[in-house]
Amino acid sequence: MALNSITSRPSAVLSRKFKNSNTNVSILTHSIKSISFLNPTPIFSNLSFHKKASNEFSSVSVKASSASSSSPTTISRELKIKSVPTKPIEGQKTGTSGLRKKVKVFMEENYLANWIQALFDSLPPEDYKNGVLVLGGDGRYFNREAAQIIIKIAAGNGVGKILVGKDGIMSTPAVSAANGGFVMSASHNPGGPDYDWGIKFNYSSGQPAPESITDKIYGNTLSISEIKMGDIPDVDLANVGVTYFGTFTVEVVDPVADYLELMENVFDFSLIKSLVSKSDFRFIFDAMHAVTGAYAKPIFVDKLGANVDSFINGVPLEDFGHGHPDPNLTYAKELVDIMYGENGPDVGAASDGDGDRNMILGRGFFVTPSDSVAIIAANAQESIPYFNTGPKGLARSMPTSGALDRVALKLNLPFYEVPTGWKFFGNLMDAGKLSICGEESFGTGSDHIREKDGIWAVLAWLSIIAYRNKDKKPGEKLVSVSDECESEGANKMIEYLRDIVSKSKAGDTYGSYVLQFADDFNYTDPVDGSVASKQGVRFVFSDGSRIIFRLSGTGSAGATVRIYIEQFEPDVSKHNMDAQVALKPLIDLALSTSKLKEFTGREQPTVIT
């Protein structure tokens, strides 16, 4: 059988046009244009043929000369598909955050494979047949093995090409920027043999798969009987390069390059560099041994000129260095201690397991997620080129404080309050109604992608501070910057609160506070008309104070009770008060009203932010 020529297509899945009126950016991944064996003087050298003992695979390994890419290429003559019999496995209910369980569950026979096949069975064939999908993850334990399973099932179902990050690493924002694919992550939850693992699928424009798809996935897991797999060997993920198996291609790519190019088109890197390279400015970034460790040095050091010692925990590890990659005051303690220590850096930041969350700190100062998105929105037009015509609209999740509301009012921008869940922002973005948004659990982002984005938030803050300091002369002072418990008790507490809400009315008194209204937040999406109910119990008082209770199930076991306390304080002289002191009356009211201790047995929160 003669192998005449193979021409690879550009990785068009990574080409995106920004909807921002003044921004037109096209990003393409690296592609090998053509390989011809009819040319008597081919541009490739070092050809060597390899044949497996079973004769199942015959391939050519190619190393490109200096006239082409330096990435190794392997070409297999054919792709064989095999059918693997299977049966349904319980417990594969899928949400917009995908499927999350303990690692040992995913390692059970066909557990992951069933879900991946069910996904392909749920998609219209035109969405993936002969198309390109992206595969990446946060570097946690089991990602490498899982990547091989996903690649083989993609081949078996007719996908044309898989773009996979080197070593299986690619942040959630980078996958979203590529307009869709698989994300291997359990977000900010711990990793390792005894901890969590997760898989989710980003759809069409890069947003998490909608419920119409996740419901189909779950339905198909209940009736699955066959897994279609490409009968191919494991792909070398440790080296950038291209492997061809007949009509199926796997390209191992640098996970940073295209995302970095996107960031360079959103922000003014020369402006940020003018700040970061100042001798009297110090910046520190904590990657928490998670995926952004792969991005920190290329972006902050190589491109922006930060010192090489300006990031900590920068090597992605399968167990996150035995840490909990959740960027908050509790789990990012090393960074917090540095920032609150004597002569701490000017700006500190951290990101989580898969790179979509962030925490921002100043010297001895913590920026709440609610304030962070408000400050970014207030300063975006003058500080960030992507927003040079102004944001289209602003939005926050319901539990996030009302600071962003005030920015929207001041800037005369459309404002939306949505349930917790990034898909609600994505619908508004796709409709051209939203530019900047944030949620209470350290998620901030914009319509440059359809996920929250940790490094984007850090660059936004550096841009704002750089803009504020752009005219400073040398020597002038620079401008500076949830409770886990068992599900049963948590659910009982929320049901108890819903009962209180059903009987409440305006004018009821709660201590010294007068109730304006109480409800269980529901949301009707103005774009697609979908309804999200039971999104959080809230008590809103006549002075604008709010107490919000919400259950979050982002871990693989148990539940997290999140309690949000908010109070508007117009007296400037009280703005430096410790939040725990200023909010103590409301905190006490929240604890007594909810009977938190009685239902959960918790004396105090695990995390306070």
Side-chain angles (χ1 to χ4, degrees):
M1 171 176 157
L3 184 64
N4 293 331
S5 66
I6 297 176
T7 301
S8 70
R9 299 168 300 166
S11 304
V13 73
L14 288 189
S15 176
R16 73 185 282 113
K17 299 287 186 182
F18 289 116
K19 296 178 182 178
N20 185 294
S21 60
N22 286 347
T23 309
N24 186 20
V25 181
S26 180
I27 301 172
L28 295 176
T29 58
H30 314 293
S31 297
I32 293 180
K33 300 301 180 187
S34 64
I35 304 171
S36 175
F37 290 92
L38 298 179
N39 189 334
T41 56
I43 61 173
F44 295 97
S45 59
N46 300 325
L47 299 178
S48 59
F49 290 80
H50 302 281
K51 183 172 286 188
K52 289 184 66 177
S54 64
N55 287 323
E56 291 178 358
F57 301 101
S58 180
S59 64
V60 182
S61 290
V62 182
K63 288 187 177 179
S65 69
S66 58
S68 181
S69 168
S70 60
S71 304
T73 302
T74 301
I75 305 172
S76 174
R77 296 184 182 226
E78 60 182 334
L79 172 66
K80 294 182 179 179
I81 310 300
K82 63 182 180 181
S83 174
V84 178
T86 189
K87 58 184 180 181
I89 301 173
E90 292 183 0
Q92 295 197 318
K93 178 68 175 174
T94 304
T96 55
S97 293
L99 182 65
R100 293 181 187 171
K101 299 287 181 182
K102 294 298 183 185
V103 169
K104 291 177 181 177
V105 173
F106 274 103
M107 295 177 73
E108 294 172 2
E109 183 179 10
N110 287 347
Y111 192 91
L112 173 60
N114 272 20
W115 191 89
I116 298 298
Q117 183 61 58
L119 167 67
F120 281 114
D121 293 341
S122 304
L123 298 175
E126 60 270 20
D127 282 358
Y128 64 88
K129 289 285 186 180
N130 301 314
V132 186
L133 290 176
V134 177
L135 172 60
D138 57 12
R140 71 177 55 233
Y141 184 84
F142 187 59
N143 274 18
R144 294 171 191 264
E145 296 87 343
Q148 303 293 348
I149 294 171
I150 295 169
I151 288 170
K152 292 172 184 177
I153 297 176
N157 283 272
V159 173
K161 184 174 187 177
I162 287 286
L163 291 169
V164 56
K166 182 176 178 290
D167 294 320
I169 286 178
M170 189 178 291
S171 71
T172 290
V175 174
S176 179
N179 282 357
F182 296 97
V183 181
M184 302 177 292
S185 172
S187 188
H188 56 290
N189 295 295
D194 298 319
Y195 292 101
D196 296 359
W197 197 83
I199 181 74
K200 76 172 182 176
F201 184 72
N202 280 25
Y203 201 52
S204 60
S205 61
Q207 79 276 24
E211 289 182 7
S212 60
I213 296 296
T214 57
D215 288 346
K216 287 181 181 179
I217 295 172
Y218 178 57
N220 285 326
T221 66
L222 301 177
S223 59
I224 189 169
S225 61
E226 174 194 30
I227 302 167
K228 301 171 188 175
M229 301 189 78
D231 196 2
I232 59 178
D234 286 354
V235 176
D236 177 12
L237 301 181
N239 294 288
V240 171
V242 186
T243 303
Y244 294 86
F245 299 102
T247 58
F248 177 64
T249 305
V250 180
E251 183 175 358
V252 180
V253 300
D254 174 2
V256 180
D258 291 309
Y259 177 80
L260 172 56
E261 186 174 348
L262 172 60
M263 292 298 100
E264 287 183 290
N265 283 283
V266 171
F267 299 101
D268 181 350
F269 268 39
S270 62
L271 174 66
I272 300 174
K273 188 171 184 177
S274 70
L275 171 73
V276 172
S277 61
K278 285 180 180 289
S279 60
D280 54 349
F281 177 84
R282 289 184 298 137
F283 165 72
I284 187 166
F285 178 78
D286 185 357
M288 305 190 80
H289 286 304
V291 71
T292 52
Y295 295 74
K297 184 177 181 296
I299 295 176
F300 296 121
V301 177
D302 298 343
K303 276 289 182 179
L304 296 175
N307 292 326
V308 72
D309 59 356
S310 62
F311 60 98
I312 58 176
N313 303 316
V315 178
L317 299 174
E318 290 188 332
D319 63 355
F320 306 116
H322 303 290
H324 192 140
D326 190 356
N328 58 48
L329 298 176
T330 299
Y331 296 122
K333 187 176 184 303
E334 181 180 357
L335 174 65
V336 172
D337 288 346
I338 291 172
M339 295 303 299
Y340 279 79
E342 185 177 353
N343 194 30
D346 297 278
V347 176
S351 188
D352 72 327
D354 62 330
D356 62 355
R357 300 178 189 231
N358 74 93
M359 178 174 69
I360 304 296
L361 297 163
R363 182 184 296 128
F365 185 80
F366 166 63
V367 182
T368 70
S370 301
D371 287 344
S372 180
V373 66
I375 292 170
I376 290 172
N379 292 276
Q381 184 171 359
E382 63 182 6
S383 305
I384 302 172
Y386 182 75
F387 302 108
N388 60 7
T389 60
K392 305 180 187 80
L394 308 177
R396 61 167 173 81
S397 60
M398 183 274 290
T400 304
S401 87
L404 189 63
D405 312 37
R406 295 175 181 271
V407 174
L409 183 64
K410 179 74 173 178
L411 299 180
N412 195 29
L413 292 173
F415 171 78
Y416 305 91
E417 181 183 39
V418 306
T420 298
W422 212 258
K423 67 174 182 177
F424 301 107
F425 295 134
N427 283 349
L428 292 167
M429 291 174 183
D430 288 342
K433 296 175 179 293
L434 175 63
S435 291
I436 298 173
C437 53
E439 63 183 15
E440 72 285 354
S441 54
F442 294 85
T444 320
S446 85
D447 61 346
H448 69 291
I449 60 172
R450 296 300 181 264
E451 289 272 14
K452 47 187 174 280
D453 191 342
I455 284 185
W456 175 91
V458 177
L459 291 172
W461 268 91
L462 290 176
S463 296
I464 292 167
I465 297 170
Y467 183 84
R468 294 295 183 188
N469 288 290
K470 63 185 177 67
D471 296 324
K472 295 286 185 181
K473 297 177 181 178
E476 288 187 331
K477 189 178 186 307
L478 297 177
V479 177
S480 63
V481 169
S482 17
D483 305 333
E484 290 186 15
C485 62
E486 292 302 319
S487 299
E488 183 178 359
N491 285 322
K492 286 182 179 178
M493 188 194 81
I494 293 297
E495 288 304 317
Y496 170 74
L497 287 168
R498 285 174 178 150
D499 183 60
I500 293 178
V501 165
S502 69
K503 300 172 183 176
S504 67
K505 62 183 183 302
D508 288 351
T509 57
Y510 289 74
S512 60
Y513 296 90
V514 177
L515 187 69
Q516 181 177 344
F517 69 87
D519 66 2
D520 195 355
F521 183 59
N522 294 324
Y523 176 75
T524 300
D525 194 294
V527 179
D528 61 16
S530 60
V531 177
S533 59
K534 296 184 177 181
Q535 295 297 310
V537 177
R538 57 181 177 173
F539 294 82
V540 179
F541 301 102
S542 59
D543 66 347
S545 300
R546 301 195 307 166
I547 302 174
I548 296 167
F549 302 88
R550 193 176 74 83
L551 279 183
S552 172
T554 57
S556 62
T560 300
V561 176
R562 300 184 188 273
I563 304 177
Y564 305 93
I565 310 293
E566 177 186 1
Q567 177 175 297
F568 177 64
E569 178 53 71
D571 187 346
V572 176
S573 67
K574 296 181 179 179
H575 286 184
N576 289 326
M577 286 181 64
D578 184 283
Q580 300 301 309
V581 175
L583 296 175
K584 189 177 187 303
L586 275 174
I587 293 172
D588 291 343
L589 179 58
L591 295 176
S592 62
T593 301
S594 65
K595 297 186 178 180
L596 179 73
K597 180 181 177 182
E598 178 179 327
F599 283 109
T600 69
R602 293 284 175 146
E603 294 279 355
Q604 59 185 15
T606 305
V607 178
I608 300 175
T609 58

